[in-house]
Amino acid sequence: MSKVTDRKYRLSVKGSELFLGSGCIIAGLICTNLFWVCNGVFDCKSFWPTISYMACFRGNDRLFSFTMTLQGTFLLVFFVTAYANYSQFMSVFEKVMFGVLGVLISLAMPFIAMIDEANDSHILPLKEIHLGIMVGVISCSLTWVYLTYLCISKMDDDQKKQSEFLKNYILLGLGMLVMNLLEWYYREKNNWLFNSNAEALSEWLVVGLALFLPYVYSLTFSPVEISLRASSKQ
């Protein structure tokens, strides 16, 4: 007669290490796509592509879709972890809003990739839809960040001190976002300040900062503990 033995394994994962690793993985995949484009599609010495533009080329769109889907998964884990750390400072309405925003942002990642991939077809004019989704993601992200600011304002003095670097990092990201929006809006002027290369550079900086925002947030989080349970027959 076989005997069922329950074995419980505990794995303690520090949030900062988890989200630093995820940020590096996504950054590595995006840079791989850039290297691929610059060595097979056009010369990046004279033209710098935006991340969305790279996804419009056959072959590159598949890697971009995989990257965005993976990023959506990482973000979902991050938002669950953030909820566990900030929910004690929120009202019921704020908790619901916090959760809904996190899910929407996470789900939007692979959907953005699908729209970018379809943009390589002249039959499907999806630029307006892409723009609308991007505006929606930015709006949801800014609202989510605002909710975290409300939570930080309710923390004790020691916790607020730990969040100072986070605040400065977010302010830097917001400044770069504003610059990127200005570059996008005025790029047709094509002068020394507003041009397609400057737009691409500002977008890369914004995306780079955004990739490691979960890591910066996680520096103020408690360690994440994952419990695994397995049964075996003997």
Side-chain angles (χ1 to χ4, degrees):
M1 183 176 178
S2 61
K3 182 181 178 181
V4 178
T5 303
D6 288 336
R7 295 180 180 179
K8 192 173 184 180
Y9 303 91
R10 288 188 178 274
L11 175 63
S12 182
V13 181
K14 192 173 181 181
S16 58
E17 296 175 354
L18 176 64
F19 297 117
L20 176 60
S22 65
C24 290
I25 290 172
I26 300 302
L29 289 172
I30 293 176
C31 289
T32 300
N33 215 354
L34 176 65
F35 180 80
W36 188 358
V37 168
C38 291
N39 284 273
V41 180
F42 44 74
D43 184 8
C44 292
K45 293 181 180 179
S46 57
F47 175 75
W48 301 346
T50 62
I51 297 176
S52 294
Y53 186 67
M54 289 193 303
C56 294
F57 294 93
R58 288 295 181 185
N60 302 92
D61 53 358
R62 296 177 182 177
L63 179 57
F64 183 70
S65 296
F66 171 76
T67 302
M68 294 296 282
T69 302
L70 187 61
Q71 173 67 356
T73 304
F74 286 145
L75 283 178
L76 191 58
V77 175
F78 165 69
F79 287 129
V80 171
T81 307
Y83 180 86
N85 282 268
Y86 289 129
S87 59
Q88 58 183 314
F89 304 105
M90 297 180 184
S91 64
V92 175
F93 174 76
E94 290 172 339
K95 289 179 181 179
V96 173
M97 193 172 183
F98 196 82
V100 170
L101 289 173
V103 171
L104 289 177
I105 296 170
S106 300
L107 293 178
M109 295 299 106
F111 194 65
I112 290 173
M114 291 172 57
I115 297 297
D116 281 335
E117 183 177 354
N119 267 337
D120 66 359
S121 173
H122 297 289
I123 302 176
L124 299 173
L126 298 175
K127 292 184 179 180
E128 292 77 11
I129 298 177
H130 179 271
L131 177 60
I133 294 174
M134 293 304 300
V135 171
V137 169
I138 292 174
S139 301
C140 288
S141 300
L142 293 178
T143 304
W144 189 91
V145 169
Y146 174 72
L147 289 175
T148 64
Y149 260 67
L150 294 179
C151 294
I152 292 173
S153 66
K154 300 175 184 177
M155 295 179 177
D156 57 40
D157 292 338
D158 291 337
Q159 291 174 310
K160 287 181 180 179
K161 289 180 181 179
Q162 294 177 353
S163 303
E164 284 302 316
F165 177 72
L166 171 62
K167 292 180 180 179
N168 293 331
Y169 190 91
I170 291 174
L171 289 175
L172 175 61
L174 290 175
M176 290 307 307
L177 176 61
V178 171
M179 185 62 190
N180 179 244
L181 292 175
L182 291 174
E183 289 289 349
W184 168 77
Y185 189 78
Y186 291 109
R187 68 179 182 274
E188 293 184 358
K189 289 182 176 294
N190 198 29
N191 54 34
W192 66 273
L193 181 60
F194 300 107
N195 54 74
S196 60
N197 285 347
E199 179 195 0
L201 177 60
S202 61
E203 180 180 299
W204 279 88
L205 291 174
V206 171
V207 171
L209 290 171
L211 287 179
F212 291 96
L213 183 58
Y215 165 68
V216 178
Y217 262 106
S218 67
L219 295 176
T220 64
F221 291 170
S222 301
V224 180
E225 186 177 272
I226 303 174
S227 296
L228 302 177
R229 184 170 182 172
S231 298
S232 60
K233 292 183 178 181
Q234 296 181 348

